[in-house]
Every structure is written in C-alpha cells, then in structure tokens.
Amino acid sequence: MNLTTKVRVRREELGWSQDELARKMGYKSRSSINKIEMGRPVSQKIIARLAEVLNVPIYYLMGIESDKAATLSDDGWSDGKKKLFKAVEQM
C-alpha cells in the first residue's frame, strides 16, 4: 500500500470522514485530505502530523514498515524505527 491508500484505509478504520480528519489536522476544509488521498505529494512534516492524528507509526506511512502495529525487539526498537534512523543517518 502507498501513502494515499494507507491514509484513506486508516481514516475509514477510525470511522472518520475526510472532513473529520481535516479538522483534526487543523485544515479548514476536506480538500487538503482529498488531495492527499488522491496522490498529491506531501512534506515529511505533514506525514508526521498524519501519523500522529491517525495514531500510526510514521515509518508505516513512509513505507519503511508494512505493519502499522510495530513489533518491538528486546532493545525496545522496532525494525521500522531502526530502518528509519539508518536512512536518516545516511542522508
């Protein structure tokens, strides 16, 4: 699944309309959410806010880990978090 599908599916799992998600994101209308769900490129800042509002890990929305329920290893870090930090270090 790509970001647009993940946002739409999670929004629907929560039983929210595009209007409700827009309000929770701080937008005045649903048009911004509609554009995101239709594939408009979004900044990392918006992805981070979406992850917070939708209550999913940011690395799930970014496509680093396919499961929205993070599995933690013995050291308390999920594989997705490790991959995310490794990717940031390499930037």
Side-chain angles (χ1 to χ4, degrees):
M1 270 192 285
N2 59 21
L3 172 73
T4 61
T5 304
K6 289 176 182 179
V7 169
R8 182 184 50 78
V9 167
R10 181 62 179 152
R11 176 181 60 75
E12 290 173 351
E13 286 176 349
L14 294 168
W16 296 345
S17 66
Q18 286 183 342
D19 284 318
E20 288 173 293
L21 179 54
R23 280 194 303 274
K24 292 174 187 298
M25 289 286 295
Y27 299 135
K28 294 182 184 201
S29 73
R30 71 173 190 84
S31 66
S32 294
I33 300 303
N34 186 53
K35 288 176 185 175
I36 292 169
E37 291 184 4
M38 295 302 292
R40 183 191 91 201
V42 295
S43 69
Q44 291 179 353
K45 182 178 178 180
I46 292 173
I47 294 172
R49 180 72 179 134
L50 282 166
E52 179 183 346
V53 170
L54 295 171
N55 196 29
V56 295
I58 189 171
Y59 44 85
Y60 167 71
L61 290 181
M62 294 178 72
I64 296 170
E65 190 170 288
S66 60
D67 187 9
K68 67 180 169 241
T71 305
L72 300 180
S73 62
D74 291 338
D75 62 4
W77 288 83
S78 70
D79 289 338
K81 283 185 181 178
K82 289 177 185 177
K83 289 177 188 175
L84 177 61
F85 281 105
K86 187 175 277 190
V88 169
E89 285 177 343
Q90 293 174 352
M91 292 178 143

